[in-house]
């Protein structure tokens, strides 16, 4: 069982001092670089300039540029950490019975001696999926705690740059926040202040959700992928004019596939669109970065699409893609993909052996 990372590494969060990006998956290891150390990683979560690696004993390793400081490995031992949400200004962690937040500038200067700037106790038996809490959710900036305006039976919550996507306990999708890129899926570009059902998905049971910079995605109980929002880099898996021009095609308002089918270019998709994977493969996990998307299939394959400038798609190049493309590295190495985490310009993938 191993984690692999690829994408932006300009702050040495993937490959210390070697290159700007990693366009092929590379194993994630703790200091020491031995295979035994890698087995203790629960999951890595990237911010832009550093990554937070959650370790099985509840410790947390931060590597990269933390608040603009020179690259370092900062180990926060014996936290009892069970979840982590790193951002450039703040580091949010969930312990068994408490939420804590550190200012990253303080962490960069005081290291493991730094004290949290904010704490919130969790009730006994708390079992909600982070960042959900009773009657609300946590955001990575003050005031940190946000309450739902009305009673919502929340199951999962995904946070984008300016919007939120929520999956209820009866598998309905709600969204709210900024809507100017269509990321709310309400067939309009208006902002929405309170959680609102995505009508186009109502009645279709959903099991997974994801939120990128300005796009959103979900997976139905039947394994179908739906995407909506901004498609500037092909992150929705829909025809993108920018990528067509980069490939040297004409600037027409449409494109055609090998079968001769014609498609209109999409810049903003304001309601959910069904995205097909090759061979009618069923998806089970999905995650969104700033402008890219990755999905895990039930058969253990990884597909990725969208912006690829820093190798975050994992195809061995820096090309962008406006349709799902198999990441061959894992199947070529007999690795069964079990999970994927995309954030900003990076992707982390959890694999089992064949």
């Amino acid at each position: 069982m191993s984690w692999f990372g690829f994408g932006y590494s300009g702050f040495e969060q993937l490959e210390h001092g070697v290159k700007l990006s990693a366009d092929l998956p590379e194993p994630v290891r703790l200091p020491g670089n031995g295979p035994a150390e890698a087995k203790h990683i629960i999951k890595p979560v990237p911010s832009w300039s550093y990554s937070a690696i959650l370790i099985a004993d509840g410790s947390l390793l931060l590597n990269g540029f933390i608040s603009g400081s020179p690259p370092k490995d900062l180990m926060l031992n014996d936290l009892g950490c069970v979840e982590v949400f790193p951002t450039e200004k703040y580091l949010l962690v969930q312990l068994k019975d408490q939420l804590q937040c550190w200012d990253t500038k303080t962490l960069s200067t005081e290291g493991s001696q730094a004290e949290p700037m904010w704490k919130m106790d969790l009730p006994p038996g708390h079992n909600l999926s982070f960042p959900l809490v009773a009657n609300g959710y946590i955001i990575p900036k003050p005031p940190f705690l946000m309450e739902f305006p009305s009673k919502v039976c929340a199951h999962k919550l995904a946070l984008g740059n300016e919007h939120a996507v929520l999956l209820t306990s009866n598998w309905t999708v709600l969204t709210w926040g900024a809507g100017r890129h269509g990321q709310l899926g309400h067939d309009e570009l208006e902002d929405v202040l309170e959680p609102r059902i995505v009508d186009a998905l109502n009645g279709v049971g959903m099991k997974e959700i994801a939120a990128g910079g300005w796009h959103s995605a979900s997976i139905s109980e039947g394994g179908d992928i739906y995407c909506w929002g901004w498609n500037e880099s092909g992150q929705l898996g829909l025809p993108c004019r920018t990528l067509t021009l980069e490939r040297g095609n004409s600037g027409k308002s449409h494109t055609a596939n090998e079968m001769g089918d014609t498609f209109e270019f999409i810049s903003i998709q304001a309601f959910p669109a069904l995205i097909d994977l090759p061979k009618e493969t069923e998806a089970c996990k999905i995650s969104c970065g700033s402008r890219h998307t990755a999905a895990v299939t039930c058969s253990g394959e990884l597909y990725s699409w969208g912006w690829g400038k820093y190798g975050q798609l994992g195809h061995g190049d820096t090309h962008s893609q406006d349709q799902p493309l198999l990441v061959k590295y894992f199947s070529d190495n007999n690795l069964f993909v079990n999970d994927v985490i995309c954030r900003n310009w990076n992707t982390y993938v959890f694999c089992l052996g064949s």
Side-chain angles (χ1 to χ4, degrees):
M1 298 185 292
S2 300
W3 281 94
F4 294 81
F6 42 100
Y8 187 64
S9 190
F11 297 103
E12 304 184 15
Q13 60 269 55
L14 285 178
E15 185 77 15
H16 286 275
V18 176
K19 50 190 175 182
L20 182 64
S21 63
D23 51 31
L24 280 174
E26 299 179 355
V28 178
R29 302 196 186 280
L30 300 179
N33 296 318
E37 287 83 357
K39 295 179 181 178
H40 298 298
I41 296 173
I42 299 300
K43 69 175 180 180
V45 184
S47 182
W48 181 57
S49 64
Y50 73 100
S51 289
I53 301 176
L54 179 59
I55 304 169
D57 64 1
S59 299
L60 199 60
L61 171 67
L62 309 181
N63 70 319
F65 278 46
I66 304 167
S67 191
S69 64
K72 65 173 72 174
D73 287 335
L74 174 59
M75 182 70 78
L76 303 176
N77 290 306
D78 304 320
L79 279 180
C81 183
V82 296
E83 270 292 354
V84 60
F85 192 153
T87 71
E88 292 305 292
K89 292 190 67 175
Y90 302 105
L91 175 70
L92 276 163
V93 301
Q94 179 183 335
L95 312 182
K96 183 178 180 180
D97 56 2
Q98 191 177 70
L99 293 167
Q100 297 182 355
C101 179
W102 279 268
D103 183 292
T104 56
K105 188 173 183 179
T106 302
L107 275 173
S108 69
T109 56
E110 299 182 15
S112 59
Q113 302 302 312
E115 290 291 327
M117 60 173 290
W118 176 83
K119 297 180 180 180
M120 188 184 87
D121 291 333
L122 295 172
H126 174 82
N127 61 357
L128 294 174
S129 176
F130 186 82
L132 292 171
V133 295
N135 302 317
Y137 58 100
I138 303 301
I139 60 173
K141 60 183 179 180
F144 302 114
L145 175 63
M146 301 292 290
E147 294 185 357
F148 288 123
S150 57
K151 185 172 178 58
V152 175
C153 296
H155 177 64
K156 289 184 179 180
L157 178 67
L159 298 176
N161 282 1
E162 302 173 317
H163 74 294
V165 182
L166 183 137
L167 182 64
T168 69
S169 56
N170 64 353
W171 319 122
T172 299
V173 176
L174 292 79
T175 61
W176 66 97
R180 67 182 181 277
H181 291 101
Q183 63 264 52
L184 301 184
H186 300 310
D187 200 16
E188 60 185 22
L189 306 182
E190 302 299 322
D191 296 351
V192 174
L193 298 180
E194 298 186 1
R196 176 176 157 190
I197 292 175
V198 179
D199 289 334
L201 298 177
N202 200 18
V204 181
M206 293 291 151
K207 62 181 180 181
E208 293 290 339
I209 54 170
W214 300 272
H215 72 293
S216 307
S218 66
I219 299 178
S220 73
E221 291 178 317
D224 293 324
I225 295 175
Y226 294 85
C227 292
W228 60 97
W230 198 29
N231 193 47
E232 182 267 349
S233 298
Q235 58 263 49
L236 303 186
L238 298 172
C240 172
R241 177 190 293 273
T242 302
L243 302 191
T244 300
L245 293 174
E246 288 178 359
R247 289 191 289 259
N249 295 348
S250 66
K252 297 178 181 179
S253 62
H254 62 276
T255 187
N257 63 13
E258 295 177 354
M259 303 297 293
D261 300 319
T262 300
F263 301 95
E264 296 293 327
F265 291 124
I266 304 294
S267 59
I268 289 178
Q269 176 71 26
F271 60 92
L274 179 63
I275 307 301
D276 292 324
L277 293 181
K279 304 176 184 178
E280 299 183 355
T281 307
E282 291 186 10
C284 60
K285 298 284 181 65
I286 195 159
S287 188
C288 299
S290 178
R291 287 185 284 163
H292 74 289
T293 308
V296 179
T297 70
C298 297
S299 55
E301 295 176 321
L302 181 72
Y303 287 84
S304 63
W305 59 97
W307 193 47
K309 181 177 180 179
Y310 293 105
Q312 59 264 52
L313 302 185
H315 300 308
D317 56 40
T318 55
H319 299 151
S320 299
Q321 300 288 338
D322 58 4
Q323 56 186 324
L325 188 64
L326 176 68
V327 181
K328 295 181 179 179
Y329 175 90
F330 299 106
S331 54
D332 287 349
N333 287 278
N334 297 316
L335 295 169
F336 185 98
V337 178
N338 186 260
D339 202 0
V340 62
I341 298 173
C342 301
R343 283 194 67 205
N344 299 303
W345 305 347
N346 289 93
T347 305
Y348 284 109
V349 177
F350 182 64
C351 293
L352 307 174
S354 58

